[in-house]
Amino acid sequence: MDNNLNYGVVGNCRTAALVSARGTIEWMCLPDFDSPSVFASLLDRRKGGCFGFDVAEEYRISQAYIPHTNILATTFSAAEGEFVILDFMPCYRSRRDEHYMPPELYRYVRWVRGRPRLRVHYAPAPDYARGRTEQTVTPEFIESHSLSDPKNRLYLYASLPLGKIARREEIVLERDEFFLLSHNEKVIPVDIEREKLEYCRTLVYWLNWTNRTKRFTYYNDVIERSLLTLKLMSYYNGAVLAALTTSLPESAGDVRNWDYRFCWLRDASMSIETLFRIGHPGAAARFMRFIQSTFVNTHEPYQIMYGIRGERTLTETTLDHLSGYRNSKPVRIGNDAYHQRQNDSFGYLMDLIYQYYRLMPGSLDEIEDMWEMVKNILSTVTEEWRKPDKGIWEIRGRSRQFVSSKVMCWVALDRGAKVADLLGKNEYGRRWRREADDIRDDVMKNGWKEEIGSFSQAYDNLALDSSLLLMEPYGFIEATDPRYSRMPASAFTICTFWLIRALFVIGEREEARRLFDGVLRCANHVGLFSEDIDFDTKELLGNFPQAYSHLALVNTAVLFAEEDRSLTFVRP
């Protein structure tokens, strides 16, 4: 397995697949993002299962996205011939303005020239490879299932001979062909014409989506790719995943391997706010409906994270039969962090709610539902902000008085007061502002440490914490405040995008631009980022792709650019 995360990603807001630079699917879950994997060689090369193509050594293989889309093209080229694998999951509007996003993947084989030869390596391992895979070749499809979960079936349709595929025999391409991998047995004929129709519909969907995105004078390509990635990671009900994978370690061989296929309030709120500001208010409306259905209707205590359908219990277990990414065990599914108290989450969510009220309020009943949620959130913040928590980094040790958590509780109350002002609820506004002032005084008294010339990570230590660079963009402190301008020099590599913004706002713009360009060079071959970067080796580490990395990239890139309004008038 490659030592870097050189994968492209395709998906349709229901599930996704990671495709290696050689065109092999090494991670895919069906029918949904959080379902058991059907391919997981990413986590175990021998047992996990994959779907790829074996060609002679002389073939040159390259990979890129079809411009402005989430359709991935892997090109195989040699003297004897050339072909392209176009990977996509159907995604488009159907009748009555509904979306069609089935749990399936097309692999469109576009013949280019000559008589290229290949062998299909189709080795599914459903249910996280927990049981032996049974496979049956029928006249219509290859059906596969795991003995550990026989009710869930996998169907492979193809225009090529199914027997040759199953036996991995050599195939000579002479025309366009296709593969369709589906969680469901199809009830309509599946042929190359149907495949081309699905391709064209999906192509147009992504082109239209990108066309609605704001364009910028600089870094537009990297902004667009990050936004397309954030969209791909948004479940159709409005929930946003932190990442598409589980158990990719923060460093090779490490045990810090977590399942990120869930919706964290913090990450999701920031992702949605980014999509909202760059031209996609529909994403914000769907997320608001998701949190309303999760919070308002249940009246249960708030959690920092939920399942993508609003599940509250995310029990963490290990898959000990899998060796892990580069032998980094354990492989985990579920995430026990849902038990944690992380008081900062409310600040990110309330900042988004304030933008929603200010820029796109809904109907009267939606506004009133949201107001009830605002009151409940700020009641919780008022009760909880003085208590220790686990902080933004989900430290699994003892709880502490984290400064970033206090700051974001201040943000929650500040934005709540502004919402109250918009609605004419003045007494709530006055009460929440008094509480916010108490938090600010507490942070200034206990969070600033003259010994280090900076705010510290927690009240009881002198550790530095890059999350404190968010004090300025969220309005807790001014960029001109000497206490803020001294911080960027002391928090360098941990969260580089925050550092770049901090350098920019304190006037070190050339240094900020230089550092930003350096980070962009660390992206993989198709412009994607994971959770972490090893700045010595430039290796991408952690779960992939990471929503937080891409939203931070967008928010940083727009510092150096202006919106390009020259073509606005031609958009539909």
Side-chain angles (χ1 to χ4, degrees):
M1 189 174 293
D2 201 322
N3 283 340
N4 208 344
L5 292 172
N6 285 324
Y7 295 92
V9 177
V10 296
N12 62 356
C13 302
R14 180 169 181 176
T15 188
L18 270 62
V19 186
S20 78
R22 295 187 59 84
T24 301
I25 300 174
E26 297 189 1
W27 178 255
M28 181 177 175
C29 300
L30 285 176
D32 298 299
F33 289 117
D34 59 347
S35 300
S37 63
V38 295
F39 303 116
S41 59
L42 178 70
L43 298 178
D44 191 306
R45 184 59 114 183
R46 186 173 62 88
K47 298 178 183 177
C50 64
F51 183 7
F53 306 95
D54 297 328
V55 295
E57 290 184 2
E58 61 263 26
Y59 274 80
R60 299 182 304 278
I61 304 175
S62 60
Q63 193 174 67
Y65 280 103
I66 300 298
H68 318 302
T69 78
N70 276 321
I71 300 174
L72 189 68
T74 308
T75 301
F76 296 76
S77 181
E80 68 180 15
E82 181 176 331
F83 65 97
V84 181
I85 303 296
L86 293 162
D87 284 311
F88 68 95
M89 292 184 175
C91 183
Y92 52 85
R93 293 182 186 273
S94 59
R95 293 180 299 174
R96 300 183 301 278
D97 205 35
E98 297 174 350
H99 282 79
Y100 180 67
M101 46 186 67
E104 60 190 38
L105 168 80
Y106 273 101
R107 313 205 76 181
Y108 175 17
V109 186
R110 180 176 288 170
W111 174 85
V112 178
R113 60 174 173 82
R115 301 181 79 246
R117 294 170 298 146
L118 61 89
R119 297 176 191 271
V120 180
H121 186 181
Y122 179 63
D127 194 30
Y128 298 116
R130 280 188 279 207
R132 183 165 61 86
T133 299
E134 290 278 304
Q135 192 160 285
T136 304
V137 180
T138 78
E140 294 182 74
F141 49 73
I142 299 176
E143 183 271 324
S144 306
H145 68 273
S146 172
L147 293 181
S148 61
D149 184 19
K151 291 183 179 180
N152 279 303
R153 305 278 168 140
L154 188 65
Y155 302 89
L156 179 69
Y157 296 83
S159 56
L160 294 165
L162 296 175
K164 284 191 173 184
I165 294 171
R167 294 187 297 270
R168 299 187 188 177
E169 294 180 7
E170 183 174 271
I171 295 171
V172 178
L173 293 179
E174 298 179 306
R175 65 183 70 85
D176 288 358
E177 307 283 0
F178 81 93
F179 300 90
L180 168 60
L181 184 65
S182 179
H183 180 70
N184 300 319
E185 182 178 352
K186 305 302 290 181
V187 297
I188 60 172
V190 180
D191 55 26
I192 191 69
E193 297 306 318
R194 176 74 188 184
E195 183 282 327
K196 290 181 178 179
L197 180 61
E198 296 292 88
Y199 175 83
C200 291
R201 286 170 166 169
T202 302
L203 177 71
V204 169
Y205 173 83
W206 289 120
L207 291 175
N208 282 335
W209 190 88
T210 303
N211 192 57
R212 295 194 298 273
T213 303
K214 293 180 181 179
R215 301 175 187 176
F216 293 87
T217 53
Y218 299 103
Y219 299 115
N220 191 71
D221 289 348
V222 296
I223 291 171
E224 180 182 283
R225 179 50 51 200
S226 288
L227 292 171
L228 280 164
T229 303
L230 290 175
K231 170 62 175 174
L232 184 150
M233 297 169 64
S234 305
Y235 197 50
Y236 61 84
N237 67 352
V240 181
L241 283 76
L244 297 178
T245 58
T246 180
S247 302
L248 298 189
E250 297 172 16
S251 60
D254 197 355
V255 298
R256 291 178 57 81
N257 309 330
W258 317 118
D259 191 346
Y260 275 14
R261 297 172 297 162
F262 304 108
C263 183
W264 272 258
L265 291 186
R266 176 196 308 111
D267 301 52
S269 298
M270 299 177 82
S271 297
I272 292 297
E273 184 171 9
T274 298
L275 286 167
F276 181 47
R277 288 193 298 107
I278 309 297
H280 294 282
R286 285 188 293 275
F287 182 65
M288 289 302 173
R289 288 194 291 270
F290 171 73
I291 60 173
Q292 282 179 299
S293 64
T294 302
F295 301 157
V296 177
N297 296 342
T298 62
H299 298 288
E300 295 186 58
Y302 293 102
Q303 295 182 183
I304 64 165
M305 59 188 291
Y306 295 84
I308 57 175
R309 288 162 294 275
E311 298 95 333
R312 299 178 63 88
T313 302
L314 309 174
T315 304
E316 184 176 304
T317 60
T318 62
L319 301 178
D320 296 327
H321 65 286
L322 296 177
S323 61
Y325 177 77
R326 295 170 61 190
N327 295 314
S328 301
K329 298 187 87 169
V331 172
R332 291 183 170 95
I333 54 174
N335 196 312
D336 275 345
Y338 79 91
H339 293 294
Q340 291 188 0
R341 174 188 291 129
Q342 295 175 19
N343 292 334
D344 67 307
S345 297
F346 298 117
Y348 305 101
L349 179 57
M350 278 304 308
D351 188 63
L352 177 61
I353 291 173
Y354 169 60
Q355 302 301 331
Y356 171 84
Y357 267 107
R358 189 171 66 89
L359 299 174
M360 55 169 298
S363 61
L364 178 60
D365 59 332
E366 291 172 340
I367 291 172
E368 290 176 345
D369 277 348
M370 194 71 71
W371 174 240
E372 289 302 310
M373 187 168 68
V374 168
K375 290 190 293 182
N376 289 337
I377 290 172
L378 295 188
S379 174
T380 301
V381 171
T382 300
E383 295 172 2
E384 300 289 332
W385 74 262
R386 294 177 179 82
K387 299 178 182 178
D389 70 339
K390 299 297 185 181
I392 187 173
W393 307 121
E394 295 187 356
I395 296 172
R396 295 199 176 189
R398 68 182 179 87
S399 298
R400 310 183 82 140
Q401 300 282 2
F402 287 103
V403 175
S404 63
S405 294
K406 310 295 184 189
V407 170
M408 295 313 296
C409 284
W410 175 90
V411 172
L413 289 158
D414 175 79
R415 302 312 192 262
K418 290 177 178 177
V419 169
D421 292 344
L422 290 173
L423 299 178
K425 301 293 185 179
N426 299 324
E427 179 53 38
Y428 284 101
R430 286 191 289 269
R431 183 196 317 162
W432 292 335
R433 282 195 173 87
R434 286 195 299 269
E435 198 73 27
D437 289 342
D438 289 345
I439 296 177
R440 184 191 290 275
D441 292 344
D442 197 61
V443 169
M444 293 304 182
K445 176 182 177 182
N446 298 299
W448 176 261
K449 304 296 170 56
E450 286 293 341
E451 306 97 299
I452 58 174
S454 175
F455 290 95
S456 61
Q457 179 193 56
Y459 284 180
D460 65 347
N461 68 21
L462 299 178
L464 300 173
D465 187 344
S466 59
S467 68
L468 298 176
L469 295 173
L470 294 174
M471 285 179 159
E472 181 273 331
Y474 281 99
F476 186 86
I477 197 169
E478 296 292 329
T480 54
D481 191 309
R483 288 169 294 190
Y484 186 75
S485 62
R486 292 165 67 180
M487 290 171 63
S490 62
F492 183 61
T493 62
I494 302 176
C495 290
T496 310
F497 290 121
W498 294 341
L499 172 63
I500 293 167
R501 177 190 167 85
L503 290 169
F504 184 92
V505 299
I506 67 172
E508 299 290 337
R509 297 191 174 187
E510 289 187 11
E511 174 63 13
R513 181 72 172 266
R514 184 195 65 78
L515 186 56
F516 184 60
D517 288 340
V519 174
L520 292 183
R521 288 192 291 270
C522 295
N524 78 358
H525 65 299
V526 289
L528 302 184
F529 283 89
S530 64
E531 183 178 11
D532 299 301
I533 301 171
D534 185 315
F535 280 95
D536 291 327
T537 65
K538 304 300 186 289
E539 181 183 5
L540 298 180
L541 298 165
N543 280 307
F544 175 89
Q546 183 82 359
Y548 196 82
S549 297
H550 284 281
L551 73 89
L553 185 155
V554 172
N555 294 339
T556 306
V558 299
L559 294 172
F560 303 103
E562 297 179 357
E563 184 181 354
D564 184 356
R565 299 179 180 272
S566 61
L567 298 177
T568 303
F569 70 96
V570 302
R571 298 183 189 176

PDB file of all heavy atoms in Angstrom, residues 258-274:
ATOM      1  N   TRP A 258      -9.401   6.620  15.131  1.00  0.00           N
ATOM      2  CA  TRP A 258     -10.805   6.846  15.465  1.00  0.00           C
ATOM      3  C   TRP A 258     -11.692   6.741  14.225  1.00  0.00           C
ATOM      4  O   TRP A 258     -11.256   6.941  13.097  1.00  0.00           O
ATOM      5  CB  TRP A 258     -10.992   8.228  16.103  1.00  0.00           C
ATOM      6  CG  TRP A 258      -9.952   8.590  17.115  1.00  0.00           C
ATOM      7  CD1 TRP A 258      -9.071   9.633  17.069  1.00  0.00           C
ATOM      8  CD2 TRP A 258      -9.663   7.902  18.345  1.00  0.00           C
ATOM      9  NE1 TRP A 258      -8.268   9.644  18.173  1.00  0.00           N
ATOM     10  CE2 TRP A 258      -8.601   8.592  18.981  1.00  0.00           C
ATOM     11  CE3 TRP A 258     -10.199   6.771  18.966  1.00  0.00           C
ATOM     12  CZ2 TRP A 258      -8.072   8.194  20.203  1.00  0.00           C
ATOM     13  CZ3 TRP A 258      -9.664   6.374  20.186  1.00  0.00           C
ATOM     14  CH2 TRP A 258      -8.620   7.089  20.796  1.00  0.00           C
ATOM     15  N   ASP A 259     -12.960   6.486  14.471  1.00  0.00           N
ATOM     16  CA  ASP A 259     -13.973   6.440  13.417  1.00  0.00           C
ATOM     17  C   ASP A 259     -14.552   7.847  13.275  1.00  0.00           C
ATOM     18  O   ASP A 259     -15.143   8.380  14.217  1.00  0.00           O
ATOM     19  CB  ASP A 259     -15.071   5.432  13.793  1.00  0.00           C
ATOM     20  CG  ASP A 259     -16.005   5.123  12.635  1.00  0.00           C
ATOM     21  OD1 ASP A 259     -15.979   5.859  11.629  1.00  0.00           O
ATOM     22  OD2 ASP A 259     -16.760   4.134  12.736  1.00  0.00           O
ATOM     23  N   TYR A 260     -14.390   8.449  12.107  1.00  0.00           N
ATOM     24  CA  TYR A 260     -14.830   9.830  11.881  1.00  0.00           C
ATOM     25  C   TYR A 260     -16.073   9.922  11.001  1.00  0.00           C
ATOM     26  O   TYR A 260     -16.394  11.007  10.504  1.00  0.00           O
ATOM     27  CB  TYR A 260     -13.700  10.637  11.237  1.00  0.00           C
ATOM     28  CG  TYR A 260     -12.700  11.211  12.215  1.00  0.00           C
ATOM     29  CD1 TYR A 260     -12.653  10.784  13.526  1.00  0.00           C
ATOM     30  CD2 TYR A 260     -11.791  12.181  11.810  1.00  0.00           C
ATOM     31  CE1 TYR A 260     -11.737  11.301  14.416  1.00  0.00           C
ATOM     32  CE2 TYR A 260     -10.862  12.714  12.688  1.00  0.00           C
ATOM     33  CZ  TYR A 260     -10.843  12.267  13.989  1.00  0.00           C
ATOM     34  OH  TYR A 260      -9.923  12.791  14.872  1.00  0.00           O
ATOM     35  N   ARG A 261     -16.796   8.824  10.807  1.00  0.00           N
ATOM     36  CA  ARG A 261     -17.955   8.832   9.913  1.00  0.00           C
ATOM     37  C   ARG A 261     -19.222   9.283  10.642  1.00  0.00           C
ATOM     38  O   ARG A 261     -20.297   8.699  10.484  1.00  0.00           O
ATOM     39  CB  ARG A 261     -18.141   7.444   9.307  1.00  0.00           C
ATOM     40  CG  ARG A 261     -16.986   6.981   8.431  1.00  0.00           C
ATOM     41  CD  ARG A 261     -17.135   5.528   8.013  1.00  0.00           C
ATOM     42  NE  ARG A 261     -17.094   4.650   9.182  1.00  0.00           N
ATOM     43  CZ  ARG A 261     -17.540   3.398   9.187  1.00  0.00           C
ATOM     44  NH1 ARG A 261     -18.093   2.900   8.087  1.00  0.00           N
ATOM     45  NH2 ARG A 261     -17.446   2.664  10.280  1.00  0.00           N
ATOM     46  N   PHE A 262     -19.095  10.342  11.412  1.00  0.00           N
ATOM     47  CA  PHE A 262     -20.205  10.862  12.200  1.00  0.00           C
ATOM     48  C   PHE A 262     -20.271  12.371  12.059  1.00  0.00           C
ATOM     49  O   PHE A 262     -19.400  12.994  11.449  1.00  0.00           O
ATOM     50  CB  PHE A 262     -20.049  10.456  13.673  1.00  0.00           C
ATOM     51  CG  PHE A 262     -19.926   8.972  13.858  1.00  0.00           C
ATOM     52  CD1 PHE A 262     -18.716   8.396  14.222  1.00  0.00           C
ATOM     53  CD2 PHE A 262     -21.009   8.138  13.648  1.00  0.00           C
ATOM     54  CE1 PHE A 262     -18.593   7.021  14.375  1.00  0.00           C
ATOM     55  CE2 PHE A 262     -20.899   6.762  13.799  1.00  0.00           C
ATOM     56  CZ  PHE A 262     -19.681   6.199  14.164  1.00  0.00           C
ATOM     57  N   CYS A 263     -21.309  12.942  12.623  1.00  0.00           N
ATOM     58  CA  CYS A 263     -21.535  14.385  12.514  1.00  0.00           C
ATOM     59  C   CYS A 263     -21.211  15.060  13.835  1.00  0.00           C
ATOM     60  O   CYS A 263     -21.975  14.981  14.795  1.00  0.00           O
ATOM     61  CB  CYS A 263     -22.998  14.648  12.123  1.00  0.00           C
ATOM     62  SG  CYS A 263     -23.378  16.401  11.860  1.00  0.00           S
ATOM     63  N   TRP A 264     -20.045  15.708  13.908  1.00  0.00           N
ATOM     64  CA  TRP A 264     -19.664  16.540  15.049  1.00  0.00           C
ATOM     65  C   TRP A 264     -20.318  17.914  14.885  1.00  0.00           C
ATOM     66  O   TRP A 264     -20.244  18.507  13.800  1.00  0.00           O
ATOM     67  CB  TRP A 264     -18.159  16.716  15.118  1.00  0.00           C
ATOM     68  CG  TRP A 264     -17.406  15.676  15.878  1.00  0.00           C
ATOM     69  CD1 TRP A 264     -16.897  15.792  17.145  1.00  0.00           C
ATOM     70  CD2 TRP A 264     -17.032  14.362  15.434  1.00  0.00           C
ATOM     71  NE1 TRP A 264     -16.237  14.637  17.504  1.00  0.00           N
ATOM     72  CE2 TRP A 264     -16.306  13.740  16.476  1.00  0.00           C
ATOM     73  CE3 TRP A 264     -17.242  13.659  14.248  1.00  0.00           C
ATOM     74  CZ2 TRP A 264     -15.794  12.455  16.364  1.00  0.00           C
ATOM     75  CZ3 TRP A 264     -16.750  12.379  14.130  1.00  0.00           C
ATOM     76  CH2 TRP A 264     -16.027  11.787  15.187  1.00  0.00           C
ATOM     77  N   LEU A 265     -20.922  18.437  15.925  1.00  0.00           N
ATOM     78  CA  LEU A 265     -21.533  19.768  15.832  1.00  0.00           C
ATOM     79  C   LEU A 265     -20.520  20.811  15.408  1.00  0.00           C
ATOM     80  O   LEU A 265     -20.801  21.696  14.596  1.00  0.00           O
ATOM     81  CB  LEU A 265     -22.154  20.163  17.174  1.00  0.00           C
ATOM     82  CG  LEU A 265     -23.393  19.405  17.639  1.00  0.00           C
ATOM     83  CD1 LEU A 265     -23.935  20.041  18.911  1.00  0.00           C
ATOM     84  CD2 LEU A 265     -24.460  19.393  16.557  1.00  0.00           C
ATOM     85  N   ARG A 266     -19.329  20.732  15.963  1.00  0.00           N
ATOM     86  CA  ARG A 266     -18.292  21.726  15.660  1.00  0.00           C
ATOM     87  C   ARG A 266     -17.913  21.692  14.185  1.00  0.00           C
ATOM     88  O   ARG A 266     -18.021  22.688  13.475  1.00  0.00           O
ATOM     89  CB  ARG A 266     -17.059  21.481  16.519  1.00  0.00           C
ATOM     90  CG  ARG A 266     -15.886  22.393  16.229  1.00  0.00           C
ATOM     91  CD  ARG A 266     -14.601  21.871  16.823  1.00  0.00           C
ATOM     92  NE  ARG A 266     -14.731  21.568  18.230  1.00  0.00           N
ATOM     93  CZ  ARG A 266     -14.705  20.325  18.725  1.00  0.00           C
ATOM     94  NH1 ARG A 266     -14.546  19.277  17.925  1.00  0.00           N
ATOM     95  NH2 ARG A 266     -14.814  20.131  20.024  1.00  0.00           N
ATOM     96  N   ASP A 267     -17.466  20.534  13.717  1.00  0.00           N
ATOM     97  CA  ASP A 267     -16.994  20.420  12.345  1.00  0.00           C
ATOM     98  C   ASP A 267     -18.111  20.704  11.344  1.00  0.00           C
ATOM     99  O   ASP A 267     -17.908  21.399  10.345  1.00  0.00           O
ATOM    100  CB  ASP A 267     -16.443  19.007  12.099  1.00  0.00           C
ATOM    101  CG  ASP A 267     -15.298  18.662  13.023  1.00  0.00           C
ATOM    102  OD1 ASP A 267     -15.455  18.815  14.247  1.00  0.00           O
ATOM    103  OD2 ASP A 267     -14.248  18.222  12.537  1.00  0.00           O
ATOM    104  N   ALA A 268     -19.287  20.147  11.618  1.00  0.00           N
ATOM    105  CA  ALA A 268     -20.395  20.326  10.690  1.00  0.00           C
ATOM    106  C   ALA A 268     -20.826  21.780  10.612  1.00  0.00           C
ATOM    107  O   ALA A 268     -21.077  22.308   9.520  1.00  0.00           O
ATOM    108  CB  ALA A 268     -21.577  19.447  11.113  1.00  0.00           C
ATOM    109  N   SER A 269     -20.913  22.459  11.750  1.00  0.00           N
ATOM    110  CA  SER A 269     -21.318  23.866  11.754  1.00  0.00           C
ATOM    111  C   SER A 269     -20.354  24.714  10.938  1.00  0.00           C
ATOM    112  O   SER A 269     -20.769  25.586  10.154  1.00  0.00           O
ATOM    113  CB  SER A 269     -21.399  24.388  13.190  1.00  0.00           C
ATOM    114  OG  SER A 269     -22.370  23.696  13.936  1.00  0.00           O
ATOM    115  N   MET A 270     -19.059  24.459  11.100  1.00  0.00           N
ATOM    116  CA  MET A 270     -18.072  25.238  10.374  1.00  0.00           C
ATOM    117  C   MET A 270     -18.091  24.890   8.885  1.00  0.00           C
ATOM    118  O   MET A 270     -17.916  25.774   8.029  1.00  0.00           O
ATOM    119  CB  MET A 270     -16.695  25.014  10.982  1.00  0.00           C
ATOM    120  CG  MET A 270     -16.605  25.458  12.438  1.00  0.00           C
ATOM    121  SD  MET A 270     -15.011  25.115  13.203  1.00  0.00           S
ATOM    122  CE  MET A 270     -14.051  26.510  12.620  1.00  0.00           C
ATOM    123  N   SER A 271     -18.296  23.623   8.545  1.00  0.00           N
ATOM    124  CA  SER A 271     -18.386  23.232   7.137  1.00  0.00           C
ATOM    125  C   SER A 271     -19.575  23.898   6.464  1.00  0.00           C
ATOM    126  O   SER A 271     -19.468  24.434   5.350  1.00  0.00           O
ATOM    127  CB  SER A 271     -18.514  21.710   7.011  1.00  0.00           C
ATOM    128  OG  SER A 271     -17.375  21.049   7.503  1.00  0.00           O
ATOM    129  N   ILE A 272     -20.716  23.851   7.137  1.00  0.00           N
ATOM    130  CA  ILE A 272     -21.923  24.426   6.563  1.00  0.00           C
ATOM    131  C   ILE A 272     -21.798  25.933   6.428  1.00  0.00           C
ATOM    132  O   ILE A 272     -22.233  26.522   5.421  1.00  0.00           O
ATOM    133  CB  ILE A 272     -23.147  24.049   7.424  1.00  0.00           C
ATOM    134  CG1 ILE A 272     -23.411  22.542   7.324  1.00  0.00           C
ATOM    135  CG2 ILE A 272     -24.365  24.847   7.006  1.00  0.00           C
ATOM    136  CD1 ILE A 272     -23.755  22.065   5.928  1.00  0.00           C
ATOM    137  N   GLU A 273     -21.196  26.593   7.408  1.00  0.00           N
ATOM    138  CA  GLU A 273     -21.027  28.044   7.301  1.00  0.00           C
ATOM    139  C   GLU A 273     -20.156  28.395   6.099  1.00  0.00           C
ATOM    140  O   GLU A 273     -20.407  29.374   5.392  1.00  0.00           O
ATOM    141  CB  GLU A 273     -20.415  28.606   8.581  1.00  0.00           C
ATOM    142  CG  GLU A 273     -20.314  30.119   8.563  1.00  0.00           C
ATOM    143  CD  GLU A 273     -19.911  30.702   9.907  1.00  0.00           C
ATOM    144  OE1 GLU A 273     -19.553  29.933  10.810  1.00  0.00           O
ATOM    145  OE2 GLU A 273     -19.957  31.927  10.035  1.00  0.00           O
ATOM    146  N   THR A 274     -19.128  27.574   5.843  1.00  0.00           N
ATOM    147  CA  THR A 274     -18.268  27.814   4.680  1.00  0.00           C
ATOM    148  C   THR A 274     -19.058  27.652   3.386  1.00  0.00           C
ATOM    149  O   THR A 274     -18.993  28.495   2.487  1.00  0.00           O
ATOM    150  CB  THR A 274     -17.069  26.849   4.710  1.00  0.00           C
ATOM    151  OG1 THR A 274     -16.304  27.097   5.887  1.00  0.00           O
ATOM    152  CG2 THR A 274     -16.189  27.043   3.489  1.00  0.00           C
TER     153      THR A 274
END
